[in-house]
């Protein structure tokens, strides 16, 4: 089967970095371009971190385009508490050999999607949705080219992780999230409801460390750093596999449970600013993930890395 053409928009970020490693490690995914956005850390760092992962995975050929340095309307927020000042705590920082690709991420998204046949493209968003939202405002017709959008965003049963109601990616740019969800693109939403059930617990990391090769070691180092930071701020809990769930979903949707719905976003100021509201409907363009098989989730990641060792 031909590898799935894929674009990833992200804000690396420890878990974004692990997600990129999974995408690169799978021969079934053809990661054609990476676009970066300000989120966990400022744009300069998310863009450097994405290029670092490309280099460490031997994929400096994949273009990394920097995008929006701030959200559409609200004051910028970041999440260094959970990712470190570098945004990629856990691995040594270096300046990647490959420079940023020329062209703003929003222009690149428009160019790639405009040139693509209808419903042919799969896009992952694992940070604030600013870039795709801006692209949809500038060129609404690009929605026709996206056959499947997979986002790490929101929370319903779980509520929020940055406020009691809001998850970080949506809270960091709720207006962008509203634009993307309102575009009625077929979207699978990996929210806190599912990511909180798949955490990098110690036995998972111990098993990962038995996988030979530098990539498994690097992923374990990243996840362990994420755990240290998560435990500090979330009373001893281990880090959820937020962004990796998007790539794992594309590779093994059968290990997830989802429900059809339509997602909207609270953009009015107040306690619920950035909350995702999930309306169950069979005709929904969205699917909300509600559960995942954690054993299968980590088993898939280990098998991908074993095959490359
Ligand atoms: O709420 C989790 C999300 O916020 C993840 O994408 C993480 O990288 C942060 O961006
Ligand atoms: Ca992220």
């Amino acid at each position: 089967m031909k590898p799935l053409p894929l674009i990833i928009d992200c804000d690396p970020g420890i878990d974004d970095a692990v997600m990129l490693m999974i995408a690169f490690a799978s021969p079934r995914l053809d990661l054609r371009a990476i676009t970066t956005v300000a989120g966990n850390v400022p744009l300069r760092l998310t863009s450097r971190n994405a290029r670092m992962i490309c280099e460490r995975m031997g994929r400096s050929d994949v273009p990394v385009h920097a995008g929006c340095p701030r959200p559409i309307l609200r004051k910028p927020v970041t999440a260094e508490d959970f990712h470190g000042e570098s945004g990629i705590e856990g691995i040594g920082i270096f300046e990647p050999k490959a420079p940023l690709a020329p062209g703003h991420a929003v222009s690149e998204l428009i160019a790639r999607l405009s040139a693509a046949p209808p419903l042919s493209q799969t896009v992952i968003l694992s940070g604030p949705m600013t870039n795709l939202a801006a692209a949809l405002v500038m060129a609404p017709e690009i929605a026709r080219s996206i056959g499947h959008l997979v986002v790490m965003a929101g929370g319903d049963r779980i509520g929020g992780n940055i406020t009691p109601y809001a998850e970080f990616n949506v809270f960091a740019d709720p207006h962008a999230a509203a634009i993307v969800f309102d575009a009625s693109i077929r979207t699978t939403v990996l929210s806190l409801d599912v990511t909180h059930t798949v955490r990098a617990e110690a036995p998972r990391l111990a098993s990962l460390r038995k996988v030979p090769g530098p990539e498994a070691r690097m992923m374990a180092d990243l996840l362990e750093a994420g755990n240290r930071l998560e435990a500090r701020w979330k009373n001893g809990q281990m880090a959820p596999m937020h962004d990796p769930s998007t790539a794992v979903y594309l590779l093994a949707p059968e290990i997830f449970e989802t429900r059809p719905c339509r997602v909207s976003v609270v953009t009015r100021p107040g306690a619920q600013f950035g909350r995702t509201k999930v309306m169950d409907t069979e005709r929904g363009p969205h699917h909300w993930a509600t559960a995942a098989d954690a054993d299968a989730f980590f088993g898939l990641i280990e098998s991908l890395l074993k095959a490359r060792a």
Side-chain angles (χ1 to χ4, degrees):
M1 192 160 85
K2 255 165 68 66
L4 183 72
L6 177 63
I7 298 171
I8 293 183
D9 185 87
C10 53
D11 64 334
I14 291 174
D15 58 331
D16 304 74
V18 172
M19 167 196 66
L20 291 173
M21 291 182 72
I22 294 166
F24 280 134
S26 171
R28 289 168 47 208
L29 298 177
D30 175 10
L31 182 45
R32 300 261 176 97
I34 295 170
T35 52
T36 54
V37 67
N40 288 317
V41 290
L43 179 66
R44 180 182 62 82
L45 296 180
T46 60
S47 304
R48 179 205 61 195
N49 295 343
R51 288 154 49 226
M52 279 174 57
I53 297 301
C54 289
E55 185 165 322
R56 292 288 291 271
M57 295 301 284
R59 294 303 310 275
S60 294
D61 59 298
V62 174
V64 176
H65 295 266
C68 296
R70 53 143 300 141
I72 286 179
L73 188 60
R74 65 152 296 152
K75 190 168 60 70
V77 288
T78 54
E80 285 90 350
D81 287 350
F82 295 92
H83 299 273
E85 288 302 315
S86 69
I88 196 162
E89 187 104 354
I91 61 174
I93 299 301
F94 61 92
E95 189 51 37
K97 295 183 190 63
L100 268 177
H104 191 286
V106 175
S107 310
E108 186 67 16
L109 285 170
I110 292 172
R112 284 178 180 268
L113 294 172
S114 301
L119 302 179
S120 63
Q121 299 304 297
T122 301
V123 179
I124 285 179
L125 306 183
S126 68
M129 304 187 195
T130 318
N131 287 336
L132 184 58
L136 286 166
V137 169
M138 285 173 68
E141 68 280 2
I142 63 173
R144 284 198 295 267
S145 306
I146 305 175
H148 193 188
L149 183 61
V150 183
V151 304
M152 192 282 137
D156 181 32
R157 181 175 50 79
I158 287 280
N161 61 355
I162 200 81
T163 75
Y165 291 98
E167 175 276 324
F168 177 79
N169 287 339
V170 177
F171 183 71
D173 198 340
H175 305 92
I179 290 167
V180 170
F181 283 127
D182 289 354
S184 295
I185 297 164
R186 176 190 165 220
T187 306
T188 302
V189 185
L190 284 305
S191 78
L192 302 178
D193 292 11
V194 68
T195 65
H196 276 209
T197 69
V198 189
R199 293 177 187 263
E201 306 288 357
R204 308 283 190 201
L205 293 188
S207 177
L208 182 59
R209 287 214 180 273
K210 293 192 182 104
V211 176
E215 292 173 358
R217 195 163 44 251
M218 179 167 111
M219 187 179 289
D221 290 346
L222 283 165
L223 291 173
E224 254 166 27
N227 280 344
R228 283 195 301 275
L229 293 164
E230 184 86 10
R232 181 187 305 169
W233 299 103
K234 298 279 184 180
N235 44 28
Q237 288 182 317
M238 295 296 99
M241 296 292 275
H242 295 304
D243 297 340
S245 65
T246 59
V248 172
Y249 180 83
L250 278 181
L251 293 168
E254 70 280 0
I255 72 170
F256 293 81
E257 288 171 22
T258 65
R259 69 184 213 247
C261 63
R262 177 174 284 280
V263 180
S264 59
V265 180
V266 175
T267 55
R268 69 180 179 282
Q272 299 198 19
F273 183 65
R275 177 187 172 192
T276 45
K277 298 176 84 171
V278 184
M279 183 184 75
D280 290 327
T281 167
E282 284 305 319
R283 292 194 313 280
H286 306 143
H287 276 77
W288 188 268
T290 54
D293 176 338
D295 290 338
F297 190 108
F298 282 94
L300 182 146
I301 294 172
E302 287 191 17
S303 60
L304 286 175
L305 296 176
K306 274 183 190 132
R308 290 168 58 92

